[in-house]
Amino acid sequence: MSNSRRGLTARQPLGPRRGRADLKHLQAMTEAEIRRTSPPELANLPRGFWKNGKLVKSAARPPRKG
């Protein structure tokens, strides 16, 4: 009999790296999951809240030294 714990725990996602979102994970989420995991302050936004939103791209950062 083996004491190995391999396969007993689910693999946890590593999360975003260097400020990038895990798009595959986000695209796989259902609307219900998004609502359930959203912060409370976002729960009751008006229906047209994002209607006039504009995408703003950040300036490119210089490469890290070191």
Side-chain angles (χ1 to χ4, degrees):
M1 191 190 275
S2 172
N3 287 335
S4 174
R5 293 184 48 94
R6 205 162 48 162
L8 294 179
T9 58
R11 184 173 169 205
Q12 298 297 319
L14 297 175
R17 295 179 185 219
R18 295 189 184 189
R20 294 187 175 107
D22 183 353
L23 293 180
K24 286 182 183 180
H25 179 73
L26 291 173
Q27 291 168 342
M29 291 178 75
T30 64
E31 288 293 323
E33 284 177 301
I34 294 169
R35 272 189 240 103
R36 184 175 42 83
T37 58
S38 295
E41 59 269 17
L42 298 179
N44 296 315
L45 290 176
R47 186 167 184 82
F49 184 81
W50 300 106
K51 184 177 181 181
N52 295 322
K54 296 189 188 314
L55 178 63
V56 178
K57 293 187 177 185
S58 62
R61 294 184 342 191
R64 287 185 182 187
K65 293 181 181 178

